[in-house]
Amino acid sequence: MSGLIVSLLWLLLFVGGGIYLAYQRVDLRTSTIAVGIAVLAYWILGDGPVLWKLVLTALYGLMVVPNLIEVRREKIAKPLFEIYRKMLPSMSDTEREALEAGNVWWDGELFSGMPEWDRLMSYPAPKLSDEEQAFMDGPCEELCRMLDDWEISHELADLPKRVWDYIIEKKFFAMIIPKQYGGLEFSAYANSCVLRKIASRNATAGSTIGVPNSLGPAELLLHYGTDEQKQHYLPGLAAGTEIPCFALTSPHAGSDAASLIDSGVICKGDWQGKEITGIRLNWDKRYITLAPVATVLGLAFKLYDPDHLIGDKDEYGITAALIPTDTKGVEVGRRHYPLSIPFQNGPTKGKDVFLPLDCIIGGTEMAGKGWKMLVELLSVGRAISLPSAAAGGGQAASYATGAYAVIRKQFNTSIANFEGVGEALTRIAGNTYIMNAALSVTAGAIDQGEKPSVPSAILKYHCTELGRDVSNDAMDVHGGKGVMMGPKNYLGRAYMATPIAITVEGANILTRSLIIYGQGAIRCHPFVLRELHAAGDEDQDRGLIEFDNALFGHIGYAISNMARSFFLALTHAKFSRVPLNTPTRRYYQNINRYSAAFALASDFAMLTLGGSLKKRELLSARLGDILSSMYLASTVLKQFENQGRRATDLPLVEWSVRTLMYQAQEALHAFLINFPNRWVATVLRLFIFPRGRTYSPPSDEIGARVVALVTTPGESRDRLSELAYTTLEPGNPLGLLQEALELSKEYGPLERRLRQARKEGLIDADYLGQQIDEALKAQVISQAEARSLRDYNEKVLALLGVDDFTSDELARVPAESQTPTPPRKAPRKKTASKKSAPAKRAASRKTASKKKTEKT
Ligand SMILES: Cc1cc2nc3c(=O)[nH]c(=O)nc-3n(C[C@H](O)[C@H](O)[C@H](O)COP(=O)(O)OP(=O)(O)OC[C@H]3O[C@@H](n4cnc5c(N)ncnc54)[C@H](O)[C@@H]3O)c2cc1C
C-alpha cells in the first residue's frame, strides 16, 4: 500500500471515528478511551512524522482534561460560572412562572437533536370510552341537529333558548368537571372530539361550549380551589345553574396581560351586617366570553394589603378570585359583537365590590399566585379548545369543498378537475389532516398525564393559522357561493370567525414571536435550564457542581449536534435509525436530520445572542417555526400509526410531512440568511446545508392523489372528516353535499352518455336540466334514468344556489322608520378674489380631490 493511502486511512480513522463517536453520543470517558487507543496505535503503527504524532497527542490531551473532574471544575467551570452568574438575564416572576409551567414531552426530544422515537410511539392511540362515544352519538349529534346558523347569527344574535336549555341539561359545560361534583369527567381527547364536532356545525355554539371547558372557573377550582370552594361552586357549574366566565383582559392589558391595573385591596368592611376582613375590588375588563350571561365571574387582579391584614407584604401580585355577578357593584350584561359571531362576549366592570377573603381561589394561601395558576392551566387548555375549533372547521371545509368541487361544473367539467382548484383542495385536505393529527396526538398525551406547554402553544398558533388557510382556500373554491350571505351559505360565517381564534389565548403574532421558541428554548433544551438553575442556586458550591455537569454535558451535546447535522445532511439521513420500516420511514429520518440541525442552530443562537435573542423576534420566530414543523410532522406520523397505518391515507401523510419539512428547511435557510454574526452563519451553513437546500415540497402528483381522496366518497375522505356533523338531513349542507357527491359518481356514466350524445348532435342544450329532456326525446336515456337524473340535478341546483333578499329584509331598520336625511345647505357663493396663478391651481386641485372623495 502506498504511503498516501495509509495516511488517508489513518485520517479516516480519526475523523470518521470522531464523527461516529459524536454522532452516537458516546459518553466522554468511553470516547476518551477509544481515541486514546487510536492515538497509541498511531504511535506504534503509523509511519507519519513525529511532529504529527506530537500534535495528535497534544490534541488528545485537550480531550483528557475534561475527564479530570476536579481540575476541570476549578480551572474551567468555575471562572465561567462566575461570568455566567453576572451575565444572567434578569427574569421577572411572571416570566419565570410562564417558563416553569407544564412539562417537557416530545418537544424535548426534538430539541435534543436525537429524538427517541420509541417515546412517542409508546403512547397508546387515544380512544373514546363507551360513555364518551354515546355522548358523541347522542347529545352531541342532537345538539348539532338543533343548530341553525342563520337563526343564531342573523336573526337572534344568540343561541335560541331551546339550545341553551339543551346545552345545560346535557352538561356540555361540564365536560371537565369530575363525576363526584356531577360533571361528565371526559378525557381531553373526548373534550376535543365534542368541540370538533360542534365547531364543524356552528362557530357560536363552539365558542360558547369551548370556554367553560377550557380556562375558566371550573378548571381553576379543580386545581387550586379549597374544598369548600369546590363544594360550593362545582355542582352548580356542572348542573348549569352557574354560568362561568374568566376575566383577565382589560383595556390597558391585552397581550401583556400581567400589566393589568385592576385592583383588590384588603380592608375591613361590612359583609351581611358584620364587619369582616375582605377585599375591595375595582376592575374594568373587556372581551370576556360569557360575561354578559355569567353568574360567576373569575377575576384576575392585583392584590394589595396596605394595612398588613393578612401578612407582612404590601403587594401580592396577580390573584384570581370568584365573584358572584349579583354582588353589589358588579356590572355585566352589555355585549361586544365579535365579527358577527354572536356568542356571548362583553365587558365587565366592578366598582368598590366588597367580598370576603374566601373569594380568592385557593384562599389567602394562593394570594399572588394567580399568574402561575393561569399559565399552568394554559399549558393544557391552549392545546384543546381553539385547536379543536380550527380542526372541526377544517373537517367541515374539507368535506364540503371536496364535494362541492365535484358537483360544481364550469367549462363542462367539475371544477375539481382544474389543477388550480386541485391545489387549493390539496391544501384544505392536507392542512386538515395536520390539525387533526396534532390535536388527537397531543390530547392523547395529555390524557397520559403530560402537560405539554410548548406543544400547546404550537397547537394554538399553528392550528388556528392552518384553520385560517383552510377557510381562505374553501372560500376561493366556492367562489360567489361562499360570499353571498344567507341561510344557504355554510362557509361565510366560519370564514369571518377565523380572526377570533387567532386573537384569543395569546394573539398569534406574539405566540409565534415570543412564546413557542422563547419558552421552548429554555424549557426543552436539555442543559440551559439546568445551567440557569445552577447559576441561580444560593448554595454556590452546589451550584458550581451542577453547573459544571450541565456545562460539559452541553459542550458534548453541541459537538454531537455538529457531527449529526453534518453527517445526516450529507447522507440525506438515509442511515439514520428510525423505529419502523414502513413507507413513512424516510420521513422519520428527515425529522432526525432537522432535529440535529435545529439543535445546532439553536445553540449557536443562544451562545452568540444570549438574552438579546428574546428581542430578535424574527430569528426566534423562525426557530419556533422549525420546532413546530417537526412537532406537527411527528404527530402526523404518529396519527398514521394510531389509525392503523391505512395505505389509502398515505397521500395525506406524504403531503403533510413533505410540506412541513420543506417549511422547516426554508425557515432554517431564512434564519441563516438573517443571522447577525455572518462568520457563525457561514460555519452553521456548512454543517447544516453542506449539499445546499435539497428538500423539495410535495410533488403535483402527490397533490393529485390528495384531490382524488377528498373528492371521492370512501373511507379516507370519511376518516379525514370523521368528527364533522355529516348526517344526511334537510338543513345539513355536509350531509346533502355528500349525498350529491355519491349521486354524481353513480350518475357519472349517464352524464357521460349525455355528453357523447351532444357531441354526436343528438342533443343540443348546454345545461343538464334541458339535456335530460332532449336526451329522453332522442331515446338516449330511459324514463327511469331521466327521473333519477332530474332528481339529482335538483339536489345539485339547491346546493349551488344562494339567497337573495328584498332591501327591507336586509335592512335592520325598516325604511319608514329611518330618519330623513336633512336637506343640504347650498354652499355659500364666495366673492371672487384676486388670487395668484399658483393659488388658483392649488384651489382647483383641492376641489377636484374633494369631488373624488365624495364619489368614492
Ligand atoms: C372574541 C374574543 C374573546 C375573548 N375572550 C376572553 C376571555 O374570555 N377572557 C379574557 O380575559 N380575555 C378574552 N379575550 C382577550 C384576548 O385574550 C386578547 O384579545 C388577547 O390577549 C390580545 O390582546 P389585545 O386584543 O388587546 O391585542 P394587543 O395586545 O393590543 O395586541 C395587538 C397585536 O400586537 C401583537 N403583539 C403584542 N405584543 C407583542 C410582542 N411582544 N411581540 C409580538 N407581537 C406582539 C399581538 O400578537 C397582536 O397581533 C378575548 C378576545 C376576543 C377577541
Side-chain angles (χ1 to χ4, degrees):
M1 246 190 293
S2 81
L4 182 67
I5 294 181
V6 173
S7 300
L8 281 176
L9 282 177
W10 280 111
L11 190 68
L12 191 70
L13 173 73
F14 281 106
V15 176
I19 290 181
Y20 177 81
L21 291 172
Y23 180 93
Q24 296 292 356
R25 297 209 173 153
V26 177
D27 66 82
L28 181 63
R29 185 174 298 231
T30 317
S31 302
T32 311
I33 294 170
V35 176
I37 293 169
V39 172
L40 192 64
Y42 188 60
W43 270 103
I44 298 167
L45 304 172
D47 55 0
V50 176
L51 183 66
W52 285 19
K53 291 182 178 173
L54 287 172
V55 170
L56 198 65
T57 312
L59 288 175
Y60 179 61
L62 291 181
M63 191 175 178
V64 173
V65 173
N67 284 280
L68 311 170
I69 292 182
E70 292 303 324
V71 178
R72 92 174 182 204
R73 193 169 291 156
E74 261 322 291
K75 302 288 175 208
I76 306 172
K78 198 169 180 185
L80 290 175
F81 184 57
E82 299 304 330
I83 298 171
Y84 196 78
R85 280 168 72 93
K86 284 189 198 127
M87 269 174 46
L88 204 63
S90 64
M91 206 186 280
S92 67
D93 284 349
T94 48
E95 274 178 303
R96 182 170 301 111
E97 279 158 5
L99 268 183
E100 285 169 3
N103 66 1
V104 176
W105 179 57
W106 180 243
D107 41 332
E109 293 291 335
L110 293 170
F111 232 100
S112 74
M114 195 173 172
E116 199 51 69
W117 285 100
D118 290 340
R119 181 162 179 211
L120 181 66
M121 292 299 145
S122 65
Y123 276 74
K127 265 176 74 181
L128 294 177
S129 68
D130 291 347
E131 197 182 341
E132 290 163 347
Q133 187 63 56
F135 189 82
M136 284 290 287
D137 299 339
C140 198
E141 183 82 5
E142 180 57 27
L143 176 65
C144 288
R145 188 168 298 126
M146 293 166 82
L147 298 169
D148 172 345
D149 186 66
W150 189 249
E151 178 192 31
I152 294 167
S153 304
H154 188 78
E155 292 170 357
L156 301 180
D158 194 0
L159 296 171
K161 184 173 178 312
R162 62 176 194 285
V163 171
W164 275 107
D165 290 347
Y166 192 75
I167 287 174
I168 285 166
E169 183 201 331
K170 296 295 172 191
K171 304 195 174 179
F172 278 89
F173 284 171
M175 285 192 277
I176 57 166
I177 298 179
K179 289 201 169 127
Q180 68 177 111
Y181 300 107
L184 295 175
E185 199 173 338
F186 281 176
S187 62
Y189 177 65
N191 188 355
S192 84
C193 291
V194 171
L195 294 178
R196 270 182 274 187
K197 183 157 198 145
I198 298 168
S200 78
R201 177 74 166 148
N202 181 263
T204 304
S207 305
T208 304
I209 293 170
V211 167
N213 289 295
S214 176
L215 185 68
E219 185 76 339
L220 286 165
L221 282 171
L222 282 169
H223 287 84
Y224 305 103
T226 60
D227 281 344
E228 295 85 71
Q229 286 171 336
K230 287 182 190 169
Q231 293 301 342
H232 182 78
Y233 282 112
L234 289 174
L237 287 168
T241 48
E242 297 277 16
I243 304 287
C245 69
F246 191 82
L248 171 66
T249 307
S250 51
H252 305 282
S255 298
D256 185 11
S259 67
L260 53 85
I261 53 171
D262 309 285
S263 66
V265 178
I266 298 185
C267 58
K268 299 272 182 201
D270 178 65
W271 180 251
Q272 296 172 347
K274 276 194 201 148
E275 193 192 60
I276 61 158
T277 301
I279 317 176
R280 191 168 307 284
L281 291 148
N282 283 280
W283 70 87
D284 178 3
K285 303 283 193 183
R286 64 178 182 181
Y287 305 160
I288 311 305
T289 301
L290 289 185
V293 292
T295 60
V296 53
L297 171 87
L299 185 78
F301 57 93
K302 284 196 177 138
L303 183 68
Y304 302 91
D305 184 13
D307 300 329
H308 295 183
L309 295 174
I310 62 164
D312 314 332
K313 290 199 246 175
D314 289 333
E315 194 178 331
Y316 282 81
I318 296 175
T319 301
L322 288 183
I323 296 161
T325 54
D326 58 4
T327 313
K328 193 169 154 236
V330 177
E331 270 180 44
V332 287
R334 289 193 63 77
R335 291 176 64 181
H336 298 305
Y337 191 28
L339 284 170
S340 97
I341 313 296
F343 59 92
Q344 294 285 340
N345 180 287
T348 167
K349 286 185 184 172
K351 178 101 184 78
D352 291 330
V353 177
F354 184 76
L355 282 165
L357 288 174
D358 63 12
C359 70
I360 297 176
I361 299 176
T364 45
E365 257 173 56
M366 297 305 279
K369 303 248 166 59
W371 190 250
K372 186 176 158 59
M373 292 173 171
L374 294 175
V375 289
E376 274 283 345
L377 296 186
L378 261 186
S379 69
V380 171
R382 208 166 14 201
I384 305 291
S385 35
L386 294 164
S388 300
Q395 294 204 10
S398 297
Y399 207 68
T401 316
Y404 183 84
V406 172
I407 62 165
R408 173 66 175 162
K409 296 198 169 86
Q410 289 292 284
F411 304 99
N412 283 323
T413 183
S414 293
I415 57 169
N417 295 330
F418 300 118
E419 289 190 348
V421 173
E423 191 181 34
L425 280 172
T426 306
R427 280 195 301 263
I428 293 172
N431 287 336
T432 300
Y433 192 82
I434 297 172
M435 287 190 273
N436 278 322
L439 186 51
S440 294
V441 171
T442 310
I446 290 170
D447 288 330
Q448 296 298 313
E450 303 291 347
K451 288 183 181 170
S453 55
V454 175
S456 55
I458 292 177
L459 256 71
K460 192 288 153 168
Y461 176 81
H462 286 277
C463 288
T464 54
E465 290 293 339
L466 291 175
R468 169 149 73 178
D469 292 347
V470 165
S471 199
N472 276 341
D473 278 327
M475 287 293 282
D476 287 357
V477 174
H478 278 75
K481 164 82 185 163
V483 175
M484 297 309 161
M485 290 306 286
K488 290 183 187 152
N489 187 327
Y490 47 85
L491 272 186
R493 203 74 64 173
Y495 171 76
M496 283 190 230
T498 52
I500 296 176
I502 300 289
T503 306
V504 295
E505 290 188 6
N508 274 8
I509 299 180
L510 169 111
T511 304
R512 172 172 179 254
S513 317
L514 271 188
I515 299 183
I516 296 178
Y517 183 76
Q519 218 172 19
I522 298 182
R523 201 60 227 270
C524 307
H525 193 290
F527 298 102
V528 166
L529 199 57
R530 275 175 65 191
E531 287 160 356
L532 279 174
H533 279 154
D537 197 331
E538 282 167 8
D539 180 341
Q540 288 213 19
D541 292 338
R542 190 176 56 197
L544 175 61
I545 293 172
E546 175 56 9
F547 182 78
D548 171 68
N549 289 336
L551 178 70
F552 280 89
H554 195 157
I555 293 170
Y557 159 85
I559 293 171
S560 167
N561 282 329
M562 280 177 123
R564 289 182 65 78
S565 173
F566 184 69
F567 183 73
L568 290 169
L570 217 54
T571 56
H572 280 185
K574 278 197 175 126
F575 309 106
S576 149
R577 216 178 22 230
V578 293
L580 304 160
N581 197 7
T582 61
T584 52
R585 175 184 168 77
R586 289 290 290 136
Y587 298 123
Y588 290 88
Q589 294 180 322
N590 293 330
I591 296 174
N592 282 349
R593 174 193 166 183
Y594 279 96
S595 169
F598 164 75
L600 179 65
S602 181
D603 246 347
F604 273 83
M606 284 194 263
L607 188 72
T608 56
L609 295 170
S612 71
L613 182 56
K614 200 164 96 177
K615 292 196 196 110
R616 304 297 298 251
E617 284 195 349
L618 290 177
L619 292 180
S620 174
R622 289 184 187 112
L623 288 170
D625 290 345
I626 306 163
L627 178 63
S628 303
S629 284
M630 293 189 294
Y631 182 82
L632 297 174
S634 311
T635 62
V636 165
L637 295 173
K638 173 71 171 140
Q639 172 87 339
F640 181 60
E641 295 302 314
N642 284 352
Q643 293 192 328
R645 225 182 271 170
R646 316 281 177 115
T648 47
D649 288 354
L650 268 176
L652 286 168
V653 175
E654 289 181 23
W655 185 90
S656 305
V657 183
R658 275 221 157 263
T659 302
L660 289 164
M661 296 320 293
Y662 178 73
Q663 286 168 357
Q665 170 186 275
E666 295 304 294
L668 202 42
H669 172 58
F671 169 83
L672 291 174
I673 287 180
N674 291 287
F675 198 74
N677 186 325
R678 298 312 304 150
W679 287 103
V680 172
T682 308
V683 174
L684 282 177
R685 190 173 283 281
L686 188 75
F687 279 92
I688 291 172
F689 293 125
R691 296 172 64 174
R693 279 143 64 217
T694 50
Y695 204 78
S696 47
S699 65
D700 294 349
E701 193 265 329
I702 295 182
R705 285 195 281 141
V706 173
V707 174
L709 182 153
V710 80
T711 54
T712 312
E715 52 152 346
S716 283
R717 178 178 144 83
D718 289 348
R719 200 166 25 253
L720 182 63
S721 300
E722 65 187 348
L723 293 165
Y725 179 63
T726 55
T727 307
L728 177 59
E729 66 185 5
N732 184 13
L734 295 191
L736 297 169
L737 280 161
Q738 174 68 10
E739 184 194 25
L741 175 67
E742 285 167 9
L743 290 175
S744 82
K745 301 290 168 189
E746 195 180 325
Y747 297 136
L750 268 184
E751 285 190 275
R752 275 197 291 279
R753 218 191 295 163
L754 294 193
R755 270 203 300 277
Q756 185 57 32
R758 194 165 176 272
K759 263 192 205 156
E760 290 167 9
L762 297 172
I763 59 173
D764 208 28
D766 284 330
Y767 296 105
L768 188 60
Q770 296 153 326
Q771 285 177 353
I772 297 169
D773 295 339
E774 290 182 16
L776 187 61
K777 254 193 221 151
Q779 296 187 337
V780 174
I781 51 173
S782 68
Q783 279 284 2
E785 286 170 333
R787 231 185 347 266
S788 310
L789 266 181
R790 257 192 221 108
D791 180 43
Y792 162 64
N793 192 36
E794 262 168 38
K795 286 183 169 151
V796 168
L797 289 179
L799 284 163
L800 299 182
V802 299
D803 301 284
D804 45 54
F805 306 88
T806 65
S807 287
D808 281 350
E809 282 168 330
L810 280 183
R812 293 268 160 127
V813 181
E816 60 274 16
S817 23
Q818 287 175 25
T819 36
T821 321
R824 280 199 178 182
K825 277 187 191 165
R828 254 190 299 151
K829 269 195 182 161
K830 280 194 184 149
T831 41
S833 65
K834 275 191 181 171
K835 282 185 184 166
S836 66
K840 273 186 188 164
R841 274 202 300 277
S844 95
R845 268 204 305 274
K846 225 170 165 184
T847 328
S849 102
K850 195 172 165 215
K851 273 188 189 154
K852 205 168 155 196
T853 321
E854 278 167 6
K855 215 170 155 191
T856 318

